[in-house]
Amino acid sequence: MARVVIVSARIGAGHDGAARELDRWFSGRGAHVVRADFLDLLPGRLGELLCGAYHQQLNTMPRSWDWLLSALGTPALAGAARRFAGLATPKMRELLGENTDVVVSTYPLATHAVARLRRSNELTAPLVVYLTDPSVHRLCVSPDATLTVAPNETAARQAQALGAGRTLVSRPLVAPTFRPAAGITERLRLRLAFGLPHDGPLALVVAGSWGVGQIGQTADDLLATGLVEPVVVCGRNEALAERLRKTGHRHVFGWVDRMPELMRACDVVVQNAGGLTTSEALATGLPVLTYRCLPGHGRANAAVLHNDGIVPWVHSPSELTEELEWLLRRPVKAAG
């Protein structure tokens, strides 16, 4: 039985979501899968502090993320980030041991920690880098990877330009529970279960597991179009959920365990980062819009999805109205 080690990170939900589906894919083919969180491999509380700093930055200084990602694209700071990743080497070495057959990384710093072991010949198992975003940053790529898996042709070209070797394009892995509604009866049943209106179009507003970004403004803009009722998922951001409820929004959720069903109850998804949730919505057969997107990776993803004709990037309330008018004229997709 092959031993596959998948290394992710609990920074947002995208990296862990990809790891979970890779686990399911490998396990279904008879592999023994071990999953690890890169943050837990760093010394002391360093991983916890890194995660907290990133979360705080997106909440309080989101525009600084643009600057930081640009800076990390320079050779000097990219090198510093790779050296930082090397702090996880001792625990990574212990995790991988001598009987690992394949290592899969869904998180950039984990990629560089494993690559360090490959360069020193301490690891001979192949390293597969699984890219979780439609766009590719320099830190996501390592020339020491045996294979880089990209979610689209644009990402593959970007990865190769940044030094990736063998590259494979594969559509994002999404849980099979994300599927189109079987018909109007299922849609109505799910709306009843979630306490949603039985008639009228619903726009599902999502902002990742942390609920970061201009979510309140997005909900207000959607309501102002007069075309849809916003259904807002705030993730673990309970403070945001409470603020939205106090300002009169009627359909506000915190963390949702039944996201596939909630998507099937709605008509369109409005998101701000372009990662895992976008893939899940498309698998559900829902149209997706990018609106008030996050700086940094959010804008980079939005540009790729827009230019590839997959998800329109909406820049203003008037454009939002126009896109919704067009989308809501399209027939609802149904399974089978």
Side-chain angles (χ1 to χ4, degrees):
M1 180 184 295
R3 182 177 191 262
V4 179
V5 176
I6 302 173
V7 189
S8 178
R10 57 184 178 276
I11 292 187
H15 304 291
D16 278 345
R20 182 173 57 250
E21 290 311 304
L22 286 164
D23 185 341
R24 186 177 61 84
W25 190 90
F26 278 108
S27 296
R29 285 152 181 79
H32 170 63
V33 178
V34 176
R35 280 171 54 188
D37 190 313
F38 173 80
L39 301 182
D40 294 332
L41 304 180
L42 290 168
R45 297 182 59 244
L46 199 53
E48 181 183 340
L49 294 172
L50 176 64
C51 185
Y54 174 62
H55 190 184
Q56 185 72 7
Q57 182 181 18
L58 286 182
N59 268 317
T60 60
M61 300 179 294
R63 293 186 181 277
S64 68
W65 190 234
D66 267 332
W67 173 86
L68 182 57
L69 279 185
S70 296
L72 287 170
T74 63
L77 280 185
R82 286 192 289 268
R83 289 191 293 274
F84 176 85
L87 296 174
T89 299
K91 288 186 178 180
M92 184 72 78
R93 185 185 294 116
E94 181 180 348
L95 168 71
L96 299 180
E98 297 180 355
N99 61 341
T100 295
D101 295 288
V102 181
V103 185
V104 185
S105 171
T106 69
Y107 179 61
L109 293 183
T111 295
H112 293 294
V114 178
R116 187 184 185 98
L117 293 175
R118 281 181 58 82
R119 284 195 302 274
S120 64
N121 295 318
E122 296 178 77
L123 176 70
T124 58
L127 165 61
V128 177
V129 173
Y130 188 90
L131 301 174
T132 59
D133 283 309
S135 65
V136 183
H137 187 271
R138 179 179 298 277
L139 275 182
C140 298
V141 173
S142 171
D144 297 295
T146 312
L147 175 67
T148 299
V149 181
N152 55 60
E153 294 286 351
T154 299
R157 289 194 298 270
Q158 291 177 346
Q160 289 168 338
L162 292 168
R166 184 186 172 206
T167 304
L168 170 70
V169 177
S170 176
R171 66 180 184 179
L173 288 172
V174 174
T177 48
F178 289 96
R179 58 164 179 81
I184 190 65
T185 300
E186 182 185 20
R187 185 180 295 270
L188 291 175
R189 176 178 60 78
L190 291 173
R191 287 191 175 197
L192 178 63
F194 283 104
L196 300 173
H198 70 275
D199 59 355
L202 301 180
L204 182 63
V205 182
V206 290
S209 62
W210 287 345
V212 294
Q214 298 175 306
I215 312 307
Q217 296 94 318
T218 295
D220 290 342
D221 291 348
L222 286 166
L223 195 59
T225 68
L227 297 169
V228 293
E229 180 81 17
V231 178
V232 189
V233 177
C234 301
R236 294 187 172 89
N237 192 340
E238 287 299 332
L240 170 64
E242 186 61 27
R243 285 199 305 272
L244 290 174
R245 293 182 186 113
K246 286 182 177 178
T247 56
H249 286 286
R250 297 185 297 167
H251 312 295
V252 179
F253 297 85
W255 181 260
V256 175
D257 290 318
R258 299 165 60 197
M259 186 59 81
E261 294 173 294
L262 183 57
M263 281 192 178
R264 290 200 293 276
C266 296
D267 300 277
V268 60
V269 169
V270 181
Q271 57 82 35
N272 65 0
L276 177 65
T277 301
T278 295
S279 299
E280 293 170 343
L282 293 174
T284 308
L286 293 181
V288 183
L289 298 177
T290 302
Y291 187 62
R292 294 187 179 273
C293 61
L294 293 175
H297 70 288
R299 291 195 180 117
N301 289 341
V304 170
L305 291 170
H306 182 84
N307 293 337
D308 286 355
I310 300 171
V311 175
W313 183 1
V314 179
H315 293 85
S316 68
S318 61
E319 282 187 33
L320 182 64
T321 300
E322 293 172 6
E323 287 289 345
L324 286 172
E325 287 176 339
W326 184 81
L327 287 174
L328 294 174
R329 288 198 296 266
R330 299 171 63 192
V332 176
K333 295 181 181 180

